[in-house]
Amino acid sequence: MQEPNIDPKFLKPYDPKETEDRIYKLWEESGFFNPDVCIEKGVTDKNASVFSMVLPPPNVTGTLHIGHASMLTIEDIMVRFARMQGKRTLWLPGTDHAAIATQSKVEKILEKEEGKRKTDLGREEFLKRVEKFAQESHDTIVNQSKKMGASLDWSREAYTLDAKRNFAVRTAFKKMYDDGLIYRGHRIVNWDPKGQTVISDDELVYKEEKTKFYYLKYGPFIIGTARPETKFGDKYVVMHPEDKRYAEYKDGQKIDLEWINGPITATIVKDESIDMEFGTGVMTITPWHSTVDFEIAERHNLEKEQIIDKYGKLLPIAGEFSGMKIKDAREKIIAKLEAKGLVEKIDENYVHNIATAERTDAVVEPQIMNQWFINVNKQIKDRNNKTLKELMLEAVKSGDVNIIPDRFEKVYYNWIENLRDWCISRQIWYGHRIPVWYKGEEIYCGVEAPGGEGWEQDSDTLDTWFSSGLWTFSTLGWPDLNAPDFKTYHPTSMLETAHDIIFFWVARMILMSTYILGEVPFKTVYLQGVVRDAQGRKMSKSLGNAMDPLEVSAKYGTDAVRMSLIVGTGPGNDTKMSEDKIRAYKNYANKLWNITRFVLSSTEFTKYDKDFNKYTERENALVEEVDGLIKEITKEMEEYKFYLVSEKIYQYTWSRFADVIIEQSKEIFLSGTDEDKESRAEFLLSTLIKILKILHPFMPFVTEEIWSLMPIENKKLLIVEEWPKV
RNA sequence: GCGCGAUUAGCUCAGUUGGUAGAGCAACCCGUUUACACCGGGAAGGUCGGGGGUUCGAGUCCCUCAUCGCGCACCA
């Protein structure tokens, strides 16, 4: 064969480094990430069906990890596929201010680098620091997303804390306030003594802890406790009404007894929530510092007393122990009780779960506080008297929201059943300020500050998930119901995210959208798994096994990283990553490169003719084979089975097209008839084109680069080429 | 306590509606004037966690047990 007259690039292995930035720039300049441009330039029909999706906004707490890379890849595949199918396709980017996460990150840096606390700077100055940090993180994240090849419409980029989103938040808050769904109340909440803020039930992380369990003499009873330091105020002793052992004691009966700091009068309370099997079947309650105790106290209208302050120290009610940290006080209290002969027994090996704060790791102390809540059990007039809980349940039960894989529907229902009112106020500085103002006894809630003198705004900010909950529509122009984007793209088609934020985010979006708009936020939820290392461990900085997506991408090429994140990864299942796997797909990119080189050099005598119809019987059979595969693949793409498609197209190109068909072609081009040669050449060219198109959503860079070197007249960029029809 | 997932080749994992078990990496043999050594050809490797059932036929469906992992609730 003569020296081929093809692009000299093909004489060297495929070089992702040289290619990727250039190709991404080409896409950006084309404007095809923006559906409006696609319509303007005539590659998308104005009335085409819509595919819309918001990017789960990454937290501006640093850089993207491999999990984000996996998210970007899966979503980019969905988007590129939809775009190639001719759909009006919008993928909307943004970042999340992540309130408490970002604030605590900056606090840590401030402490480490300057030895200062946020109070040393003051609210305004500290917020400037946070904003600077957030901006830097944002820039890194955007840059990383582009490196991953994400075809996001950057012209529509949003931030959960920018002015537009803040307006949406205030509007939503006001609506909920007016409907009585948002209320302020003294209720038991999760207090993080380290972060000095309240957190929601979902921000708790339970950890097993081995501790001592004390059996104490409480008058005629033996009570068990792991937390003697909360017992100072215990003046109610509770038992089950049907417990025969304690039948002689009547509800409301008073008993004088000797306790930690002297004689007290205790009151008998009978309550059915008591587990007769546990311990002695008798307990004293501390309503201020225990959710269950609080609920008992509410039922029986009992007094509640605070024992522990906001810093985890004992209050004057503890007498001589006042001012001590609870951990230090515990042993000393027990020593005193022992001296008084009130300790019956100590179990040394008691295991219980302690609640810690997700962000600060501190042991959470339940406290009764005045906070803002969303009532999930109040009937809503405008929504057929349904409650938020019911709305959330119905959205999924009705099939309006379809969760993939469907086993997560059960998890979702289970969460809703156990859902309590959502505490939305936070005592942190970074976030959306609560749009409520006070003047003496007066209270005002509004989208804008009230007129007149002397009004002071609530100092608390909102849980970050409040603004995230609005994300599908706050990004599309809402509260303006006539905003073109809102009308065109909502409800969104797809929400793709990791399964660990199904409650935090997915559920809250359904809550907000069904309540505020009366429609679901998205039609399909695709939940992906966690990315793990080759040993199956969760990737984390502390384990030192975190894989930097940019680092491996620089080493093996982004396309290889993308493929390795997709192949063999079904929805909801965790992904295991190893460099070996990535290397395999780097080789694949190069294989594709060399296939192209062979096809182009051996078909120079012909021209690609998309209407070619003079295939011999042999090529007709091959066309039928490949079209059958494409049919299968297209169906699987529509079912989001990317793990199957990627594997199949890989197998076909390498084992079938390269190893068999190309090998066979050498003989045909050497000694076949002109008819044979033409038929084969057309087959090779047209099939390579099909392969490039199918592969494009998975490996966008190498396919677009090869596409640019193909001898096709009047071609568009591959990103907006049509998906092969069979 | 309630629920979910996993268990397939040495390792990491696929296997869509039940129809002769697949890939990557590793290991073995052969091959470089060949589109590609980031390669090709060949061979090897699995009683699909155990047991039971349904079926003409089960990795796949049902029951049960075991081990590992996860979620939720409780935790006086």
Side-chain angles (χ1 to χ4, degrees):
Chain A
M1 205 182 301
Q2 73 208 38
E3 186 53 33
N5 180 28
I6 59 164
D7 199 296
K9 264 187 189 171
F10 284 110
L11 298 175
K12 284 185 286 181
Y14 171 62
D15 179 9
K17 256 189 205 150
E18 187 279 322
T19 310
E20 291 177 0
D21 288 349
R22 178 167 47 78
I23 294 282
Y24 196 88
K25 216 176 143 210
L26 199 66
W27 289 329
E28 276 200 294
E29 282 165 1
S30 76
F32 291 143
F33 295 167
N34 181 340
D36 304 331
V37 174
C38 288
I39 290 167
E40 257 168 55
K41 293 198 177 173
V43 296
T44 304
D45 189 272
K46 196 171 184 248
N47 300 313
S49 62
V50 167
F51 182 87
S52 57
M53 173 166 66
V54 292
L55 175 76
N59 290 352
V60 288
T61 47
T63 55
L64 297 187
H65 51 70
I66 198 84
H68 291 112
S70 164
M71 170 184 93
L72 288 165
T73 303
I74 294 171
E75 293 178 19
D76 195 45
I77 289 169
M78 292 174 176
V79 166
R80 285 179 189 268
F81 175 58
R83 200 183 283 121
M84 290 177 82
Q85 283 183 308
K87 291 185 183 167
R88 185 167 175 176
T89 305
L90 173 65
W91 186 22
L92 195 147
T95 43
D96 194 328
H97 71 288
I100 193 164
T102 309
Q103 168 157 336
S104 55
K105 185 111 191 187
V106 175
E107 276 183 84
K108 271 178 201 159
I109 294 170
L110 191 66
E111 170 87 46
K112 201 177 159 191
E113 289 178 0
E114 300 175 42
K116 286 183 185 164
R117 288 164 182 251
K118 66 173 188 286
T119 42
D120 297 334
L121 299 182
R123 188 165 186 150
E124 205 176 319
E125 180 57 29
F126 178 75
L127 281 178
K128 273 188 195 159
R129 300 287 189 100
V130 179
E131 273 152 23
K132 184 167 173 278
F133 176 84
Q135 184 61 44
E136 284 165 10
S137 295
H138 162 270
D139 297 348
T140 308
I141 287 164
V142 168
N143 184 39
Q144 283 181 305
S145 306
K146 291 182 176 181
K147 284 271 180 200
M148 287 309 299
S151 57
L152 285 154
D153 181 2
W154 296 106
S155 73
R156 285 177 164 87
E157 193 188 345
Y159 184 48
T160 57
L161 194 57
D162 62 20
K164 284 181 184 165
R165 263 44 66 178
N166 182 249
F167 182 63
V169 162
R170 283 178 279 138
T171 307
F173 189 101
K174 163 90 169 132
K175 179 175 164 60
M176 294 184 114
Y177 182 87
D178 290 346
D179 283 348
L181 289 172
I182 285 184
Y183 67 95
R184 194 178 195 223
H186 274 282
R187 297 187 53 83
I188 192 142
V189 290
N190 310 301
W191 178 256
D192 171 359
K194 199 169 167 191
Q196 286 291 301
T197 181
V198 162
I199 58 175
S200 68
D201 293 343
D202 297 286
E203 288 166 283
L204 298 177
V205 178
Y206 289 96
K207 288 185 183 162
E208 265 197 2
E209 190 193 53
K210 210 171 109 175
T211 184
K212 290 179 185 170
F213 192 79
Y214 308 94
Y215 290 91
L216 308 174
K217 288 179 189 160
Y218 189 81
F221 308 105
I222 304 291
I223 57 158
T225 183
R227 301 198 57 192
E229 68 276 8
T230 64
K231 296 287 153 199
F232 294 101
D234 288 14
K235 53 188 178 185
Y236 299 103
V237 57
V238 193
M239 58 210 71
H240 198 281
E242 275 152 39
D243 196 329
K244 295 195 179 87
R245 291 170 293 180
Y246 308 110
E248 60 183 288
Y249 301 101
K250 304 297 173 211
D251 196 21
Q253 188 181 337
K254 308 271 184 205
I255 291 182
D256 292 317
L257 55 90
E258 181 62 23
W259 195 225
I260 309 169
N261 286 336
I264 60 161
T265 301
T267 307
I268 305 283
V269 175
K270 301 268 178 167
D271 192 277
E272 290 185 352
S273 68
I274 298 296
D275 179 358
M276 289 188 268
E277 309 290 314
F278 190 92
T280 56
V282 184
M283 71 173 201
T284 60
I285 57 166
T286 315
W288 204 284
H289 301 290
S290 155
T291 310
V292 176
D293 294 4
F294 176 82
E295 282 165 2
I296 293 173
E298 289 279 278
R299 274 198 290 279
H300 299 273
N301 207 15
L302 309 178
E303 284 173 35
K304 310 177 190 88
E305 270 174 290
Q306 188 175 6
I307 316 294
I308 299 161
D309 73 6
K310 286 183 174 182
Y311 306 97
K313 287 183 180 160
L314 289 163
L315 288 163
I317 191 173
E320 68 198 78
F321 304 100
S322 172
M324 288 177 78
K325 289 212 156 196
I326 49 176
K327 272 208 167 153
D328 304 334
R330 189 176 294 173
E331 289 295 326
K332 294 196 172 95
I333 293 164
I334 288 301
K336 185 172 183 189
L337 284 164
E338 263 179 326
K340 295 177 92 167
L342 294 177
V343 178
E344 169 80 8
K345 178 171 87 164
I346 300 175
D347 178 355
E348 302 277 343
N349 294 313
Y350 181 69
V351 177
H352 73 152
N353 286 332
I354 50 166
T356 62
E358 189 193 25
R359 295 296 167 188
T360 63
D361 229 24
V363 176
V364 164
E365 188 64 64
Q367 293 272 6
I368 295 176
M369 296 182 134
N370 205 18
Q371 298 288 339
W372 290 95
F373 296 87
I374 289 181
N375 188 335
V376 294
N377 292 307
K378 185 186 162 74
Q379 294 188 322
I380 305 158
K381 263 194 200 142
D382 294 349
R383 295 285 172 259
N384 293 325
N385 287 323
K386 299 221 168 85
T387 65
L388 289 174
K389 262 191 183 184
E390 287 164 346
L391 287 174
M392 291 162 89
L393 207 58
E394 221 171 69
V396 177
K397 281 238 158 98
S398 66
D400 292 347
V401 172
N402 174 34
I403 301 180
I404 300 172
D406 55 14
R407 60 187 155 92
F408 282 102
E409 290 185 3
K410 264 192 183 175
V411 179
Y412 176 82
Y413 297 143
N414 182 255
W415 177 80
I416 292 177
E417 275 163 34
N418 293 311
L419 187 63
R420 295 180 222 234
D421 284 1
W422 172 18
C423 177
I424 52 170
S425 47
R426 298 289 180 273
Q427 291 67 54
I428 58 170
W429 291 343
Y430 194 52
H432 291 282
R433 197 82 175 257
I434 289 179
V436 171
W437 287 260
Y438 308 97
K439 185 160 85 176
E441 291 301 298
E442 277 183 89
I443 179 164
Y444 175 86
C445 173
V447 175
E448 304 298 340
E453 295 288 298
W455 287 97
E456 201 157 322
Q457 188 170 7
D458 195 302
S459 62
D460 284 358
T461 51
L462 284 166
D463 180 4
T464 185
W465 300 103
F466 189 97
S467 54
S468 313
L470 311 173
W471 192 241
T472 59
F473 51 97
S474 69
T475 52
L476 294 175
W478 187 87
D480 177 7
L481 295 173
N482 290 316
D485 274 3
F486 178 71
K487 284 165 80 176
T488 308
Y489 299 109
H490 206 273
T492 59
S493 318
M494 168 63 70
L495 188 274
E496 196 279 345
T497 191
H499 65 70
D500 56 352
I501 55 171
I502 181 167
F503 309 138
F504 283 123
W505 197 40
V506 178
R508 263 73 180 263
M509 282 193 284
I510 295 174
L511 181 156
M512 290 294 191
S513 189
T514 51
Y515 159 66
I516 293 175
L517 306 172
E519 67 183 27
V520 295
F522 30 70
K523 294 166 197 156
T524 302
V525 179
Y526 180 106
L527 295 168
Q528 66 169 98
V530 177
V531 182
R532 296 172 183 278
D533 72 3
Q535 279 86 49
R537 298 173 305 177
K538 205 166 175 170
M539 289 198 179
S540 73
K541 275 183 193 155
S542 52
L543 273 174
N545 62 348
M547 196 181 268
D548 178 357
L550 252 51
E551 204 182 300
V552 284
S553 163
K555 202 164 162 192
Y556 301 102
T558 299
D559 291 322
V561 175
R562 289 170 60 117
M563 273 299 267
S564 67
L565 284 164
I566 296 302
V567 177
T569 306
N573 293 341
D574 293 351
T575 318
K576 286 191 188 157
M577 274 298 274
S578 66
E579 288 208 20
D580 278 347
K581 196 173 173 186
I582 305 175
R583 196 178 301 118
Y585 294 104
K586 175 188 160 63
N587 294 351
Y588 178 55
N590 194 54
K591 187 75 182 179
L592 209 60
W593 193 249
N594 283 301
I595 285 171
T596 310
R597 176 179 169 187
F598 175 85
V599 171
L600 293 187
S601 62
S602 58
T603 60
E604 276 181 296
F605 56 88
T606 185
K607 238 186 172 179
Y608 171 59
D609 173 5
K610 70 178 168 49
D611 301 317
F612 184 78
N613 61 3
K614 288 185 287 181
Y615 285 126
T616 65
E617 220 167 283
R618 179 168 51 198
E619 273 73 40
N620 266 328
L622 291 176
V623 168
E624 207 172 298
E625 179 195 28
V626 75
D627 285 353
L629 179 70
I630 291 172
K631 209 170 167 186
E632 247 175 70
I633 279 178
T634 305
K635 184 166 169 272
E636 285 160 357
M637 288 297 284
E638 273 156 2
E639 291 165 351
Y640 316 110
K641 290 174 179 166
F642 310 125
Y643 57 109
L644 289 178
V645 174
S646 51
E647 178 109 40
K648 278 184 182 172
I649 193 68
Y650 173 89
Q651 288 306 325
Y652 179 80
T653 12
W654 202 311
S655 309
R656 183 78 184 137
F657 192 66
D659 290 350
V660 178
I661 297 171
I662 284 185
E663 286 308 318
Q664 211 177 56
S665 305
K666 291 175 185 170
E667 179 59 30
I668 294 171
F669 290 133
L670 202 67
S671 55
T673 64
D674 284 354
E675 258 189 321
D676 283 343
K677 287 183 189 172
E678 194 190 8
S679 171
R680 176 52 61 114
E682 285 297 339
F683 174 77
L684 290 181
L685 264 179
S686 66
T687 303
L688 177 57
I689 285 166
K690 289 172 185 171
I691 289 171
L692 290 175
K693 287 181 175 179
I694 287 169
L695 215 42
H696 179 73
F698 298 87
M699 307 181 84
F701 291 110
V702 68
T703 50
E704 187 76 77
E705 171 70 352
I706 291 174
W707 183 255
S708 74
L709 304 166
M710 294 287 283
I712 303 166
E713 280 169 24
N714 300 323
K715 65 184 171 192
K716 300 178 272 196
L717 284 178
L718 185 54
I719 187 176
V720 288
E721 271 290 334
E722 291 113 60
W723 185 260
K725 283 197 188 77
V726 290

